[in-house]
Amino acid sequence: EIGCEELPATVCVSIERQLLGAASGAAAAKAEGAEAGIVRRQLEAHRLWPARGATLRVLVSPRRIGILVDGVPTRQTACVQRFRGPRAAVAFDDAGAPTRAGLGFATAKGVQPQDLGREEIDGTEFVTAEVEEPRRGAGAVVPDVCTAILEQIHVPRGMRWGARPPGAQE
C-alpha cells in the first residue's frame, strides 16, 4: 500500500486497469487470453507469481493504492538457464579432457567442467551448461517488485517524490 496525492476518479480507474490488465475487476488476473497487468508481469518477471489459485486485488482510492496477492511463494521459483558453448571438438581434446576453451566456458558459467553436457545441433556437437539462478526470499524481492510497478504506472500528470523542482520557493 502506498499513499499518494489526491487522485481524480478517472486516474483511479486508469491505475486500476493498468495494474490488473486488459480485463477489469478481480477476474482480470485469472482471465484466459487477457493481457496481463503490471502487477502480474512484474511478479512473473521476478519469479514470485503463484503457481495456481492466485487471487489479485487492486484497491485504488484518491489517496491510496493497495495491491493484495494471495499465494505468493516464500522464495522465488526455480529458473534453470541452458547455455550453449563452443563446439565439443574445441572444448575437449581427443582424450576427453577439457581444453582451455572448455575450462573457460565452464568457469564463465560457474559450473565444473565435468558438469558440462553435450548437444547436437544441425549435425554439430556443442557443449552446454545448465545454470540455476539463485532463489531469493520473497521479502528481499518484494521491494524491487514494488519499485518496478510504480515506475510503470502512467499518470497523465506526473508527481514528484522527495525533491522540489529547481527554483521552487518554500
Side-chain angles (χ1 to χ4, degrees), residues 5 158-170:
E5 295 178 7
M159 296 178 231
R160 288 194 173 90
W161 298 92
R164 290 186 173 276
Q169 295 182 9
E170 295 185 29

Side-chain angles (χ1 to χ4, degrees), residues 1-4 7 15 19 58-61 63-67 150 153:
E1 176 182 358
I2 63 166
C4 54
L7 297 172
I15 290 173
L19 294 174
V58 173
L59 309 167
V60 182
S61 72
R63 290 190 166 255
R64 297 259 186 251
I65 300 171
I67 299 170
L150 288 174
I153 295 175

Side-chain angles (χ1 to χ4, degrees), residues 8-19:
T10 56
V11 173
C12 291
V13 171
S14 171
I15 290 173
E16 182 181 16
R17 286 187 180 146
Q18 290 175 58
L19 294 174

Side-chain angles (χ1 to χ4, degrees), residues 24-165:
S24 61
K30 294 183 179 182
E32 292 295 326
E35 180 184 333
I38 295 171
V39 175
R40 182 172 180 159
R41 285 195 315 261
Q42 287 305 317
L43 286 171
E44 287 175 348
H46 288 85
R47 302 185 344 237
L48 284 180
W49 184 251
R52 17 182 126 130
T55 57
L56 167 63
R57 290 182 55 202
V58 173
L59 309 167
V60 182
S61 72
R63 290 190 166 255
R64 297 259 186 251
I65 300 171
I67 299 170
L68 300 168
V69 183
D70 290 332
V72 173
T74 58
R75 295 175 51 89
Q76 290 177 307
T77 56
C79 178
V80 177
Q81 291 184 316
R82 186 183 188 114
F83 297 98
R84 186 176 80 183
R87 289 181 294 123
V90 174
F92 296 101
D93 61 18
D94 294 334
T99 63
R100 286 185 64 175
L103 290 171
F105 176 67
T107 302
K109 298 305 173 195
V111 298
Q112 297 297 318
Q114 62 268 21
D115 294 333
L116 293 174
R118 296 179 185 223
E119 180 180 351
E120 188 171 322
I121 301 172
D122 296 330
T124 305
E125 190 176 35
F126 290 94
V127 174
T128 60
E130 289 187 358
V131 180
E132 182 175 347
E133 289 185 29
R135 295 174 61 187
R136 296 171 37 205
V141 180
V142 167
D144 297 336
V145 173
C146 293
T147 300
I149 289 170
L150 288 174
E151 288 174 349
Q152 290 188 358
I153 295 175
H154 173 71
V155 179
R157 181 172 227 170
M159 296 178 231
R160 288 194 173 90
W161 298 92
R164 290 186 173 276

